[in-house]
Amino acid sequence: MRASGDGSETVLAGAFEHAPEPMVLSRTDGTVVRANGAFADLFGDPAGLEGRVWHELLDGDDAQRGAALHAEALNGDWGRRVRLRLAPAGHSARMAEVELRPVPEQDRLVVLTHLLSPEETDLRVVGELRTDNSDSVLWSLDLSTGCMRELFGPTPLGALLAGNEPELEHLLERVHADDVARVRDALAGAFEGRDYEQRFRVFDRLGDERSLHVRARFVPGDPDRLVGIVDDVTEHVQLVRRLADRRRTEAEHGRLVTELSSKLVSATTVDEVMDLLSEEFLPIFGGYHAVALYVENGLLRTSPSARERGNTDIIDGRRADDTDYPMGAVIQDRQPRFFESRAEVVSRFPSAVELLRNTGKSQAWATVPIFGDSRIALGVWQMVWDRPHHASRDERALMLTFAGLAGQALQRIKAQQAELELADAVQRRMLPRQVASFPDMDIATKYLPSRADWRICGDFYDVIELPENKVGLLVGDVQGHGVEAAAAMGQIRVAFRAYATNQSDPGVVLGETNRLLAETGEIVFATCGYLVVDRETGVMQAAWAGQPPVVLAAGGGYRVWEPETGPPLGVMPDTEYTVTTSVLAPDTTLLLCSDGLVESSDVTMQDGLAAVGQALSEHAANPKEAAHVLADMAPAGRGDDIALLITRMTRSVPSDPETFSTAVPAT
């Protein structure tokens, strides 16, 4: 540099000479024009440095990197620091950061070197290791200009995120729309002197979405800066999402397993069990088709709904001991069989070719036995996949568990069916096989067991021929279910008959029966309605113990007659039951029923009586037809037993016109 002029050049030359950092002035070809004192101290005789190319003073391959840096500076790309190793003669290499700057109005370049201490060198090495071949960037943001730069030179991730546009606003333009407000708010705090940490999504220069975790410290100075780390956590975020999806799937899987297991445990029919296995378990195993068959009289049978879906004709009705097919073999030895491909099935069961021909795109099968506690196969369950499939150990264990639950359900259902048949036989044995008949009365009765369970119940009816041309009509309902209720019902009916044949007053008959029931010491209660009809006059005398009221209907209308009622039988031993009188008009139909016909938790008795009265008025001329209609409609549902008795006088009797009119509405 020249030491003449207005004095400023002299100052600059002195600053150059005495600068603490090594510097040289070079020509455009890289030869050294002058080295300052610090550089001479590092390399020895300054005269010996002049004329040498500065980047030839670098160690090893760094000489080529220095040459490239020189060429870039000549092309206008200067001001970038590059870490290079200087090679002083007779000394070990020294690590330095090298930066080139042009000298205005001269074809010269100043080569600035910043010697790194061992600690700085170590930090630089650690920084480079942190970013080398990793998804991280060490960065600095100038808060006065909004420009970012990488601390240790460009990295692949930095190129994808910023490229040649390191301005903050350009980077913010690529932040995900859902995250940009949060990122800007955090940056506003950084401009006020706070540290920064955010996790957000951006779109890189290729348009791919990435998740970044950015941390930085506020470094005061001139200018203020943020210095920090950018980590690409896209894979981590995706992994977390996959794990969350997997947990949700497993939770849903577990919920479905629990729900279907509960359905199996509570199933009430064989067809319901078969349909659960054939339809609702498919999602758990990812199959596209399943079929469940039970053994009946030595044959394999499917449910009606499975037959409607088709593809079961070749299986339904096949002998259960036919071991030429997988189903028969599994039933015979109770060993599950799993086939990953068609070839496996055919190699073991050649006769199954016909079966496979009708199964379309089936590619893999799992066939497990359905057995109960006795280890006797009750059926077989087959899951089918439309692709080659290896059933894992967990899948096999789960299928066997479900098959075991299904077997227990089938055993329970068969036992319940046997109990139902016994209950029905006991129930009907307790009821009169045939009620008394009279030439001047049409009488129809109906008993319907509850559909809510399999237990014996206590509803009953009876028709009793009485002296003096009278008839007793009786309907009752014993509290509870089971053999005790049925036995109590039989006792009450026998007691009624015994008392009624010797006593014409229905109130006395009800009172004596109540006393007998109370004296037995059994905690049994029964509602009851007892009606004595004079066949000559049509006069009705009623004694009531909590039963639903009487419905009287003729063509075009109906009314509800509510006799005065007392407590149920068996509650208070000394109860006296009031007798209420009315007249059964000619061509009028009378209905006595238990509360199961007209009342439930969902249907009020008023609504139930209205529905029954309307139907009875439409079929009043034919009691048997009316009984069938009321049994089919069952307004209150079939959650309880139903007993009903319908009668109609077939010859004229004196009537009280004030007691009944077909135009009178229900009360």
Side-chain angles (χ1 to χ4, degrees):
M1 300 178 69
R2 290 182 297 114
S4 60
D6 60 1
S8 61
E9 292 184 358
T10 301
V11 173
L12 288 174
F16 173 85
E17 179 63 31
H18 299 291
E21 298 285 359
M23 293 187 292
V24 297
L25 183 66
S26 78
R27 297 186 178 89
T28 56
D29 60 3
T31 56
V32 176
V33 175
R34 184 173 180 179
N36 72 348
F39 201 92
D41 291 342
L42 184 62
F43 281 90
D45 182 15
L49 294 175
E50 295 182 5
R52 296 186 62 182
V53 177
W54 72 267
H55 46 76
E56 291 179 353
L57 303 174
L58 300 176
D59 185 51
D61 294 339
D62 281 3
Q64 295 180 356
R65 297 178 61 196
L69 183 64
H70 189 91
E72 291 172 1
L74 292 176
N75 291 327
D77 184 10
W78 49 269
R80 185 164 60 89
R81 286 190 175 190
V82 177
R83 187 163 55 85
L84 301 171
R85 291 169 298 170
L86 302 177
H91 299 281
S92 59
R94 295 289 304 275
M95 190 68 69
E97 284 189 344
V98 179
E99 179 183 351
L100 273 65
R101 291 185 177 274
V103 178
E105 300 179 358
Q106 296 185 30
D107 292 333
R108 299 286 188 271
L109 294 173
V110 175
V111 181
L112 309 172
T113 60
H114 170 65
L115 294 176
L116 300 177
S117 66
E119 293 79 5
E120 288 179 307
T121 302
D122 292 346
L123 290 175
R124 294 298 195 277
V125 171
V126 170
E128 288 189 347
L129 289 175
R130 179 72 172 82
T131 58
D132 188 29
N133 297 321
S134 71
D135 291 327
S136 298
V137 174
L138 301 181
W139 59 278
S140 173
L141 170 64
D142 187 330
L143 294 177
S144 65
T145 63
C147 287
M148 299 182 69
R149 69 179 183 88
E150 295 189 56
L151 297 179
F152 301 112
T155 61
L157 178 61
L160 276 174
L161 295 177
N164 295 323
E165 297 178 345
E167 290 79 9
L168 179 61
E169 283 302 319
H170 289 161
L171 297 175
L172 290 175
E173 289 175 357
R174 290 205 293 273
V175 174
H176 195 286
D178 293 341
D179 299 339
V180 67
R182 175 167 51 84
V183 171
R184 287 187 178 276
D185 288 344
L187 279 172
F191 275 90
E192 294 174 359
R194 292 195 289 270
D195 293 342
Y196 179 91
E197 182 170 4
Q198 286 288 304
R199 181 170 289 198
F200 54 90
R201 294 162 293 174
V202 300
F203 294 96
D204 62 25
R205 299 176 68 239
L206 299 178
D208 296 327
E209 182 181 307
R210 293 177 176 270
S211 294
L212 303 181
H213 185 200
V214 181
R215 294 165 292 160
R217 293 287 176 84
F218 177 80
V219 180
D222 187 16
D224 294 337
R225 293 174 298 145
L226 279 181
V227 179
I229 303 173
V230 176
D231 288 313
D232 186 348
V233 294
T234 304
E235 291 186 4
H236 173 73
V237 170
Q238 291 174 345
L239 176 61
V240 170
R241 288 175 181 170
R242 287 195 297 269
L243 288 175
D245 290 342
R246 180 177 178 180
R247 286 171 183 163
R248 282 193 295 270
T249 301
E250 290 176 347
E252 176 64 20
H253 187 278
R255 185 198 61 77
L256 187 59
V257 168
T258 302
E259 177 184 325
L260 293 178
S261 298
S262 177
K263 286 185 177 181
L264 274 179
V265 171
S266 60
T268 57
T269 67
V270 172
D271 288 343
E272 186 178 351
V273 174
M274 296 296 102
D275 288 340
L276 280 170
L277 294 177
S278 299
E279 300 176 30
E280 299 198 33
F281 283 84
L282 279 173
I284 295 178
F285 300 97
Y288 95 98
H289 175 69
V291 63
L293 305 105
Y294 60 94
V295 179
E296 183 180 70
N297 299 325
L299 301 178
L300 293 176
R301 294 298 187 189
T302 59
S303 66
S305 60
R307 287 191 288 272
E308 290 176 3
R309 292 194 302 271
N311 295 328
T312 60
D313 293 344
I314 197 170
I315 304 174
D316 188 52
R318 186 176 295 278
R319 292 198 333 270
D321 61 355
D322 188 351
T323 57
D324 289 338
Y325 292 85
M327 293 79 72
V330 167
I331 288 177
Q332 289 304 302
D333 61 18
R334 302 187 302 279
Q335 295 299 315
R337 285 169 170 78
F338 301 90
F339 303 102
E340 298 184 19
S341 66
R342 284 178 171 249
E344 282 190 44
V345 180
V346 174
S347 64
R348 173 61 183 84
F349 297 97
S351 300
V353 172
E354 177 188 1
L355 179 63
L356 297 179
R357 189 178 298 116
N358 288 273
T359 56
K361 54 185 179 180
S362 304
Q363 295 294 327
W365 293 261
T367 309
V368 298
I370 301 172
F371 48 81
D373 296 335
S374 63
R375 304 296 294 178
I376 297 175
L378 305 176
V380 65
W381 179 30
Q382 184 167 269
M383 183 71 62
V384 184
W385 289 268
D386 57 358
R387 62 192 182 283
H389 179 80
H390 172 75
S392 67
R393 179 180 301 178
D394 290 343
E395 283 181 321
R396 298 183 184 202
L398 195 57
M399 284 195 71
L400 289 172
T401 298
F402 285 141
L405 289 175
Q408 294 174 15
L410 290 179
Q411 278 191 320
R412 172 177 49 78
I413 290 168
K414 289 181 182 296
Q416 288 173 338
Q417 288 176 333
E419 182 183 346
L420 177 62
E421 293 172 1
L422 175 61
D424 187 61
V426 171
Q427 186 83 41
R428 296 189 184 282
R429 187 69 177 175
M430 292 290 186
L431 294 170
R433 289 195 174 187
Q434 185 174 357
V435 298
S437 61
F438 306 93
D440 53 358
M441 297 180 74
D442 283 341
I443 300 175
T445 58
K446 185 73 74 173
Y447 167 76
L448 300 172
S450 167
R451 288 177 178 168
D453 50 50
W454 306 104
R455 297 171 295 180
I456 304 173
C457 297
D459 288 21
F460 61 94
Y461 58 80
D462 205 350
V463 177
I464 306 170
E465 185 174 2
L466 302 175
E468 300 177 355
N469 208 28
K470 295 180 180 180
V471 60
L473 306 177
L474 172 66
V475 169
D477 182 1
V478 177
Q479 168 207 326
H481 302 273
V483 176
E484 294 83 359
M489 179 264 283
Q491 291 175 335
I492 293 171
R493 198 172 69 82
V494 170
F496 251 100
R497 275 191 166 272
Y499 291 126
T501 54
N502 295 300
Q503 177 58 251
S504 61
D505 188 326
V508 174
V509 174
L510 217 59
E512 293 296 327
T513 306
N514 173 60
R515 186 174 299 107
L516 175 65
L517 194 61
E519 289 175 352
T520 61
E522 299 288 342
I523 305 177
V524 177
F525 310 119
T527 59
C528 186
Y530 181 47
L531 190 64
V532 175
V533 181
D534 188 325
R535 293 161 50 206
E536 292 290 340
T537 64
V539 173
M540 300 183 294
Q541 290 184 304
W544 234 244
Q547 272 295 97
V550 180
V551 179
L552 297 165
Y558 71 93
R559 75 179 178 93
V560 176
W561 175 39
E562 299 188 51
E564 185 175 342
T565 187
L569 304 182
V571 175
M572 300 172 62
D574 297 327
T575 300
E576 294 183 0
Y577 291 90
T578 303
V579 175
T580 307
T581 303
S582 185
V583 175
L584 180 62
D587 300 323
T588 299
T589 301
L590 174 149
L591 166 68
L592 299 178
C593 66
S594 59
D595 59 358
L597 179 67
V598 294
E599 185 179 37
S600 69
S601 59
D602 299 322
V603 179
T604 66
M605 183 172 291
Q606 183 177 2
D607 291 341
L609 288 170
V612 165
Q614 181 64 37
L616 187 64
S617 68
E618 294 174 0
H619 302 276
N622 189 333
K624 289 184 174 58
E625 180 181 314
H628 285 296
V629 170
L630 294 179
D632 289 339
M633 68 181 293
R638 293 287 298 278
D640 194 4
D641 278 19
I642 295 173
L644 60 88
L645 188 157
I646 302 175
T647 186
R648 178 181 176 85
M649 301 293 292
T650 57
R651 68 184 184 86
S652 298
V653 297
S655 63
D656 182 355
E658 295 182 359
T659 61
F660 178 74
S661 169
T662 58
V664 177
T667 61

